[in-house]
Amino acid sequence: MNRPVSSRWIPWFVVCCIIGGLLVVFPPFRMVSLDLARENAQAQAFNPHRFAVEFWHKQLIKSFDNAFEAEKVFDAMRRDRKAAKEQYARVVGLGGPHHYFLKGAGKVITVGKREVELSLVGNDVDGVDVVLVISMIFGNEVLNATGLVSRSQFPRTNDFNAISAEVNKIVETEIVPGFLEKAEVGSIVYFVGCSLKISDDDPIPIPMRLVPVKLEVE
Amino acid sequence: MFSRIAAVLLAGAAIGSLCCLCGCKKKMDVPDSGVEAGKQKIGIVISTLNNPWFVVLGDTSKRHAEELGYQATVFDSQNDTARETSHFENIIASGYQAIIFNPTDADASIINVKRAKKAGIPVFCIDREINSNEDATAQILSDNYSGCVAIGEYFVKEMGDKGKYIELLGLLGDNNTFNRSNGFHFVVDKYEGLEMVAQQTAGFDRTKAFDVMNTLLQEHPDIDAVFCGNDAMAMGAYQALVGAGKADTVKVFGFDGAADVLESISEGKIKATGMQFPKRMARTAVEYADAYIKGKRDFEQKIPVPVELVTIENIDTYGDYEKKKVE
Amino acid sequence: MSETINFKKLLSRFQLLIVLLAMVLVLAVQNENFLTVKNIENILQQISINVCLAIGMTLVILTGGIDLSVGSVLGFSGIVMAGFMKNGIEIPSANVLLKFTFHGAVIAGLLTGLVLGLFNGLMITKFKIPPFIATLGMLSMARGWTKLWTRGEPITNLGKGFETVGSGSFIGIPIIIWIPIFLIVVFMIVSRKTRFGRHLYAVGGNEQAAALSGLRVNRIKMGAYTLCGLLSAVAALILTARLNSATVVAGETYELEAIAAVVIGGTSLSGGRGSILGTVFGCLIIGVLANGLVLMGVREELQLVVKGGVILLAVALDKLHSR
């Protein structure tokens, strides 16, 4: 206690020097360019748009042939709904909601802002068999009905939902506008589409509401 | 002198209470005294038991596991990942065969599932997901997004694509909060006439929602609707609207399918909710665990459980966290 | 005179040992999974956080104070560690990102705890705010900062360093158990053999007398709160490493568990009497009790009741002592 002030600080000084030295040898942080780091982070982040475009061109288009003939499915459904579900539908998750992936040719009955009504070619009467949803498309219909992408592939279900949103956007911005230019009442349309969710309790879903993924006007 | 007496007292009390507990346990907690019989055990870890919805989740799992011949224990994580970790360690140390797991956090809970996996114990997530597709044996998850898309569509139908509304969020950082909010906004934001004048969190809590709603009503007295991330908040918001005399003009939308909200829907007080199926999820998870213990290994990783829109038009078919059995 | 005190001290330590052994005995007989290496390791890992907090709490309570903020300080230090590790610090004006190394992040977290503890000490000594109120304020502030920083999102996947601390081991014993062992040894020496340690007791025993006899009471108190903050940050390191993530609610209500351990360990809430070893026994008793109840499959609700009962018994004991 009676040591002179200067000598009392010597041990502190030594300790500080040692700590400082250690921090120089083992630096607690290093500096990197912020822009570069942000670019890297962006490149690594999941990009639903990219995934959706790739999915569309590499998987979806090739699977159009796997869609079932709408007419065949509807006939089966009218005969025995349960059997039709088992044979043609894709069940998603627990509790029985299911989707159909259908193709066919239909005559345009009405063209609305949000929906287009079709009557299947080959039907004697011009009853509405299919309703194409052409705007305000929500939900996971395309991924669910085709079964090409499963939510099990993703750590986060959010990513799966985001892809659906991008796919729906492709439908609304790339498939529908070209179709609307050419289509008018009476024209024949070749379509491939994914049904909205159908629950077992619903009445027989004809006319069936479809999200179109391919539309060709004759 | 005192200390010696006290020491004996304390030791005696401690031993006594433990012994009493053992005794109680044999009588009430585990009817067939499972430990001694070498019965197989299933652990059920639930994020919080402070919300009746999760209590249903836990109780149903426990009852169904017991029906299948297992001894089952429910652990309450109290929304704390650290507590959850302790539960997992205890479960692993005491030789459970499977875990039914309702995680506290999609990211932070992953490490707990990894722990169990390393110890060879299968984990079945229910209701809430973990942000991983390789650690849990299977995840049985409410399809919050699609459910809220459906609510969003009904919302638009009821509102007639024009009006002002408030959104009450659950918890920041909870996946379900954003799955729900995103699903709803994905639909509603496409209608420019529908304007969200305020968005606040109310912690999935009834009282908090009541307070928040009261405050917001001061600032926005002219709203037409409220969308709430769960039913507890919907009930709180509705109470606030009643107090402000606006219950008849403002439409309330919830999510969960809680008993009191179903009743309110049938009385026309609340417009709609998304029915989740906690009992179905719990039972399925327990059946999966049973199948695993009996040798099944190939499970789908993420299994969505649909959320169904409940409105006054179909209210009769729902009740008690389930779809009523149609004869 | 001093002999009787020693005898009493011995006896009270003996007491805790009896309780602990009795519990272990009963549980070992009851459940074959209890006395396994795996489970004992398990118990020690689970109490490691509480040991850190309770040691700090003991230092504070010895001075006659209390620190309610340890849980929140733990939470905030953890977020600082995890946040620095994962995201670093962005300095947009200089277009620079400071990327922290593991030890850099840990040091930052420890310093955070230390500074918050120092702040507590300053409030209590310089502004004469009662410890209960001062640390209650910190409890709220630190939790608020944590929530502001994270907006509720946990920070996860912190990389190799934290993983090593969280699941690595040294001579067969997990690192997470070594940390509290080290702290116990250090603080037993500090409390018994150093001047600072003896002064803690003196201040808690009779503050005025201590001040009159020339002790720098404020400094000693500030030291206790600062160490308590630092130890909270060490607990944050353990928790963050174990979870490999930092969450917003990390540490909530941990202060109560720490106070319970201190009280069960025989430290008097009015200050001046108690020991680090007693606190360690307190932690062990709580930990063994919690683990044992779970192994026996006791319902969660009943566990709470039993835990509360044990704490009450311990305080009753404390009162009997000081009569």
Side-chain angles (χ1 to χ4, degrees):
Chain A
M1 264 213 205
N2 296 326
R3 275 178 293 174
V5 176
S6 57
S7 75
R8 248 177 62 193
W9 291 107
I10 287 177
W12 289 105
F13 183 71
V14 172
V15 167
C16 285
C17 282
I18 291 174
I19 291 176
L22 280 175
L23 286 184
V24 170
V25 180
F26 304 103
F29 55 78
R30 60 201 165 77
M31 293 197 267
V32 290
S33 154
L34 184 57
D35 291 341
L36 213 69
R38 281 190 179 154
E39 264 169 39
N40 278 343
Q42 233 159 36
Q44 275 172 18
F46 178 72
N47 183 336
H49 176 70
R50 203 165 51 205
F51 191 105
V53 171
E54 224 162 82
F55 157 74
W56 192 282
H57 293 291
K58 289 200 180 143
Q59 289 185 277
L60 186 63
I61 289 177
K62 284 179 194 152
S63 75
F64 286 165
D65 291 340
N66 301 341
F68 294 110
E69 288 290 344
E71 220 175 314
K72 205 162 79 185
V73 173
F74 289 172
D75 280 346
M77 208 179 280
R78 286 191 184 101
R79 274 198 309 275
D80 181 350
R81 190 177 168 183
K82 228 175 169 178
K85 177 183 164 188
E86 242 157 66
Q87 198 175 350
Y88 300 112
R90 183 175 295 279
V91 179
V92 176
L94 300 176
H98 50 284
H99 298 262
Y100 292 94
F101 184 37
L102 300 180
K103 63 183 173 191
K107 192 160 95 186
V108 176
I109 306 286
T110 61
V111 179
K113 220 171 134 192
R114 300 185 50 183
E115 291 172 351
V116 171
E117 292 179 323
L118 301 181
S119 172
L120 286 184
V121 174
N123 267 14
D124 306 335
V125 236
D126 276 359
V128 176
D129 300 301
V130 168
V131 177
L132 301 175
V133 184
I134 54 168
S135 79
M136 301 292 176
I137 302 167
F138 312 115
N140 301 319
E141 266 65 35
V142 176
L143 302 189
N144 282 345
T146 60
L148 294 172
V149 177
S150 149
R151 55 191 80 211
S152 298
Q153 284 168 245
F154 304 93
R156 292 157 210 265
T157 303
N158 261 339
D159 293 346
F160 177 80
N161 294 332
I163 292 167
S164 283
E166 289 293 336
V167 168
N168 294 341
K169 210 189 268 169
I170 294 178
V171 173
E172 285 181 13
T173 57
E174 289 178 26
I175 303 301
V176 171
F179 162 76
L180 286 179
E181 267 172 32
K182 295 184 209 157
E184 52 196 42
V185 174
S187 46
I188 302 294
V189 183
Y190 294 99
F191 66 87
V192 179
C194 305
S195 83
L196 302 192
K197 188 175 83 182
I198 296 161
S199 151
D200 290 336
D201 305 334
D202 296 341
I204 290 189
I206 303 174
M208 190 174 278
R209 299 167 66 81
L210 298 180
V211 173
V213 289
K214 180 188 169 193
L215 290 173
E216 249 172 46
V217 183
E218 196 172 53
Chain B
M1 188 58 204
F2 269 124
S3 55
R4 192 175 299 168
I5 298 170
V8 174
L9 268 179
L10 183 57
I15 295 168
S17 64
L18 282 176
C19 291
C20 145
L21 278 173
C22 308
C24 294
K25 187 192 70 184
K26 274 175 201 149
K27 269 178 249 144
M28 351 177 298
D29 267 326
V30 192
D32 314 303
S33 73
V35 186
E36 289 80 1
K39 218 182 212 183
Q40 292 187 302
K41 294 185 286 185
I42 292 182
I44 301 155
V45 184
I46 303 287
S47 60
T48 172
L49 294 180
N50 286 340
N51 177 335
W53 194 90
F54 290 101
V55 176
V56 171
L57 205 61
D59 283 353
T60 312
S61 306
K62 183 172 157 71
R63 207 170 316 125
H64 198 55
E66 282 166 0
E67 278 164 14
L68 293 179
Y70 295 93
Q71 188 200 328
T73 317
V74 180
F75 300 85
D76 179 4
S77 308
Q78 297 172 29
N79 277 333
D80 179 355
T81 317
R83 219 163 245 134
E84 191 177 274
T85 302
S86 302
H87 290 330
F88 266 74
E89 286 168 347
N90 287 333
I91 286 173
I92 292 166
S94 43
Y96 280 72
Q97 268 72 33
I99 301 173
I100 308 294
F101 182 36
N102 174 236
T104 54
D105 186 280
D107 281 311
S109 293
I110 297 174
I111 193 168
N112 291 333
V113 179
K114 280 191 199 292
R115 270 196 188 107
K117 191 188 177 196
K118 209 171 143 199
I121 302 174
V123 177
F124 299 87
C125 294
I126 43 175
D127 173 46
R128 293 177 169 183
E129 76 175 327
I130 54 168
N131 289 336
S132 156
N133 52 358
E134 49 193 18
D135 296 307
T137 308
Q139 303 189 47
I140 299 155
L141 311 167
S142 259
D143 193 351
N144 286 292
Y145 179 81
S146 304
C148 280
V149 166
I151 291 184
E153 286 176 305
Y154 188 73
F155 183 89
V156 172
K157 203 168 130 199
E158 282 286 306
M159 297 280 286
D161 62 23
K162 202 169 167 6
K164 290 180 180 174
Y165 68 95
I166 287 174
E167 181 183 7
L168 295 185
L169 292 169
L171 291 163
L172 297 174
D174 173 60
N175 269 22
N176 282 344
T177 298
F178 288 106
N179 277 335
R180 290 174 194 177
S181 184
N182 288 347
F184 176 80
H185 282 289
F186 185 64
V187 177
V188 176
D189 289 359
K190 295 206 170 162
Y191 295 84
E192 280 167 13
L194 294 172
E195 186 196 354
M196 181 168 73
V197 292
Q199 185 184 41
Q200 276 282 347
T201 54
F204 288 131
D205 183 77
R206 189 175 180 146
T207 321
K208 219 167 174 182
F210 179 78
D211 293 340
V212 169
M213 196 64 209
N214 266 327
T215 315
L216 288 176
L217 277 174
Q218 303 300 317
E219 214 180 319
H220 309 285
D222 56 341
I223 55 162
D224 305 298
V226 188
F227 171 64
C228 303
N230 82 342
D231 275 350
M233 294 195 291
M235 289 305 285
Y238 180 76
Q239 282 309 318
L241 289 167
V242 170
K246 292 188 194 307
D248 296 334
T249 54
V250 180
K251 301 178 170 80
V252 182
F253 298 80
F255 195 93
D256 264 356
D260 46 0
V261 164
L262 292 189
E263 204 185 311
S264 302
I265 288 176
S266 66
E267 291 165 0
K269 291 175 177 168
I270 283 178
K271 279 290 158 194
T273 189
M275 184 74 190
Q276 300 199 73
F277 297 96
K279 290 183 172 174
R280 182 189 283 166
M281 285 190 274
R283 278 196 287 259
T284 309
V286 171
E287 275 153 25
Y288 280 19
D290 182 48
Y292 184 96
I293 291 167
K294 292 184 175 141
K296 185 177 149 104
R297 286 297 178 272
D298 54 323
F299 293 93
E300 175 102 12
Q301 173 64 219
K302 296 203 176 181
I303 302 143
V305 180
V307 173
E308 293 176 13
L309 178 72
V310 184
T311 65
I312 189 133
E313 287 120 49
N314 65 1
I315 181 76
D316 297 338
T317 52
Y318 298 94
D320 198 22
Y321 298 100
E322 282 190 290
K323 207 157 197 166
K324 281 184 192 153
K325 299 248 158 45
V326 188
E327 299 299 314
Chain C
M1 179 68 187
S2 72
E3 245 171 56
T4 41
I5 288 173
N6 274 340
F7 178 66
K8 257 191 170 176
K9 248 190 189 168
L10 264 176
L11 196 69
S12 78
R13 220 165 278 159
F14 196 47
Q15 232 169 43
L16 291 168
L17 196 62
I18 293 177
V19 175
L20 188 64
L21 286 179
M23 281 169 53
V24 169
L25 199 74
V26 171
L27 286 168
V29 171
Q30 275 294 316
N31 193 310
E32 78 270 22
N33 282 321
F34 179 73
L35 263 191
T36 56
V37 175
K38 175 96 196 128
N39 193 47
I40 289 169
E41 205 174 80
N42 189 5
I43 294 175
L44 294 180
Q45 287 197 42
Q46 284 173 7
I47 66 169
S48 58
I49 290 163
N50 198 26
V51 168
C52 296
L53 296 179
I55 288 175
M57 189 69 79
T58 309
L59 301 178
V60 167
I61 289 181
L62 278 179
T63 70
I66 193 138
D67 188 348
L68 298 179
S69 68
V70 289
S72 294
V73 171
L74 184 162
F76 187 61
S77 314
I79 284 292
V80 169
M81 268 178 221
F84 278 19
M85 188 70 212
K86 176 101 176 177
N87 305 324
I89 301 178
E90 290 182 2
I91 309 172
S93 57
N95 187 24
V96 158
L97 173 72
L98 298 185
K99 277 192 118 171
F100 279 75
T101 54
F102 169 63
H103 66 271
V106 170
I107 291 171
L110 294 179
L111 282 178
T112 307
L114 188 124
V115 169
L116 295 188
L118 185 67
F119 183 85
N120 274 336
L122 277 173
M123 286 293 127
I124 289 159
T125 54
K126 300 288 180 222
F127 293 92
K128 303 282 172 221
I129 303 175
F132 189 88
I133 306 298
T135 57
L136 191 64
M138 178 56 76
L139 178 149
S140 183
M141 281 200 301
R143 186 62 62 197
W145 289 328
T146 310
K147 289 186 177 172
L148 281 175
W149 184 315
T150 58
R151 292 197 68 235
E153 297 265 8
I155 303 173
T156 54
N157 275 334
L158 306 176
K160 209 99 208 113
F162 283 100
E163 255 170 54
T164 310
V165 174
S167 49
S169 53
F170 176 64
I171 353 180
I173 297 176
I175 294 174
I176 281 182
I177 299 177
W178 280 115
I179 296 174
I181 290 177
F182 172 74
L183 291 176
I184 291 167
V185 172
V186 167
F187 281 93
M188 275 176 71
I189 294 170
V190 166
S191 70
R192 288 179 180 186
K193 304 284 181 211
T194 67
R195 215 167 44 190
F196 172 71
R198 285 193 297 273
H199 289 176
L200 279 178
Y201 284 90
V203 169
N206 189 335
E207 195 174 321
Q208 275 175 327
L212 285 177
S213 60
L215 297 189
R216 285 192 279 195
V217 173
N218 279 357
R219 259 203 193 189
I220 292 159
K221 279 187 171 177
M222 223 134 71
Y225 285 98
T226 309
L227 281 174
C228 189
L230 179 64
L231 285 165
S232 304
V234 176
L237 169 63
I238 296 179
L239 185 62
T240 309
R242 269 187 61 180
L243 303 179
N244 197 14
S245 66
T247 60
V248 191
V249 295
E252 248 172 27
T253 71
Y254 282 20
E255 57 277 356
L256 302 180
E257 199 115 320
I259 293 170
V262 174
V263 168
I264 292 176
T267 297
S268 157
L269 277 176
S270 47
R273 193 166 55 77
S275 68
I276 300 288
L277 195 61
T279 297
V280 173
F281 270 105
C283 293
L284 278 168
I285 288 175
I286 293 181
V288 168
L289 191 69
N291 176 272
L293 293 175
V294 171
L295 287 193
M296 281 161 43
V298 174
R299 301 176 62 99
E300 184 111 17
E301 301 88 323
L302 201 55
Q303 291 179 29
L304 293 175
V305 176
V306 174
K307 216 157 119 189
V310 169
I311 295 170
L312 282 183
L313 263 173
V315 184
L317 203 66
D318 186 53
K319 286 289 166 208
L320 277 175
H321 256 298
S322 47
R323 219 183 258 173

